[in-house]
Amino acid sequence: MAVTPLGGGRYAVASHSGARYLVNLPDGDCSCPDHEIRGERCKHLRRVAIEVTDRRVPPPGRRRGECTVCGLPSFVPETGLPVCSDCRFERGDLATDKETGDVVVVYRQTDETAAERYVGTADCTVAEYPKNDGYPSTDPVVEVVYPFSGDRNADISERPRYAFPRSRLAAREEMLIE
């Protein structure tokens, strides 16, 4: 059975008989008669699950594409900037600023590029900021906070945020516990 991703968690499955069925993986639904009549999980749903698990087709919410950070082919979000799971920062991740060596905590990774994000206090974009010279203007912007400055008891959301191009930050293995 051939599985073709359609986006939005939907997949077309071509059966051996030549019929084509629509599988909605998040809803656990298939348009085949077996599923519609019996209400059981059919072979088409199972086939899509196997293909997703074996990474032959993208999971719901993802599509095949090239990661804008590492440049490798991967499954990237269906919407927003194409950043693979290996290159995406999550809130609370620790990183090192490659320019200063400072440890920072990720507040969030945005869907803005360094060329799009305007920094009012510097009157330029993140890409135009002098210390960001040499980093791709297409990099996603990552908002970070400095955990070891100011009030150390302040919550991450209460600290000043700074915008960096993604490739200026190196991921760290350590974790910071709030």
Side-chain angles (χ1 to χ4, degrees):
M1 289 183 276
V3 177
T4 305
L6 302 174
R10 296 174 308 125
Y11 302 82
V13 179
S15 73
H16 294 298
S17 67
R20 185 174 172 192
Y21 301 108
L22 180 65
V23 169
N24 184 319
L25 197 56
D27 291 347
D29 192 34
C30 180
S31 63
C32 77
D34 186 41
H35 180 77
E36 289 181 348
I37 293 169
R38 292 183 335 138
E40 297 292 324
R41 188 174 166 156
C42 66
K43 61 185 176 185
H44 309 104
L45 275 163
R46 288 191 302 271
R47 182 59 181 209
V48 171
I50 289 168
E51 295 291 310
V52 168
T53 301
D54 288 346
R55 299 186 53 82
R56 290 191 287 260
V57 297
R62 309 289 248 167
R63 64 176 175 80
R64 286 191 192 281
E66 186 176 287
C67 175
T68 192
V69 177
C70 67
L72 296 175
S74 185
F75 295 141
V76 297
E78 284 181 335
T79 60
L81 293 177
V83 178
C84 71
S85 298
D86 292 339
C87 293
R88 185 163 191 85
F89 278 121
E90 298 297 331
R91 185 181 179 108
D93 286 347
L94 287 181
T96 300
D97 176 358
K98 292 178 183 177
E99 296 297 316
T100 65
D102 291 337
V103 175
V104 294
V105 176
V106 173
Y107 181 76
R108 73 182 178 118
Q109 184 164 317
T110 73
D111 280 331
E112 296 173 283
T113 66
E116 295 170 332
R117 178 68 172 269
Y118 180 74
V119 181
T121 56
D123 193 30
C124 64
T125 65
V126 170
E128 295 167 335
Y129 191 76
K131 285 191 175 183
N132 294 335
D133 187 38
Y135 295 103
S137 61
T138 57
D139 259 11
V141 169
V142 179
E143 292 179 358
V144 303
V145 299
Y146 288 87
F148 305 115
S149 64
D151 180 4
R152 291 186 180 214
N153 293 322
D155 184 77
I156 190 173
S157 60
E158 297 169 355
R159 294 176 173 274
R161 292 194 298 266
Y162 301 88
F164 286 81
R166 166 58 183 90
S167 59
R168 181 173 163 176
L169 300 172
R172 296 178 64 108
E173 294 299 318
E174 304 93 348
M175 297 180 71
L176 185 69
I177 299 174
E178 282 189 43

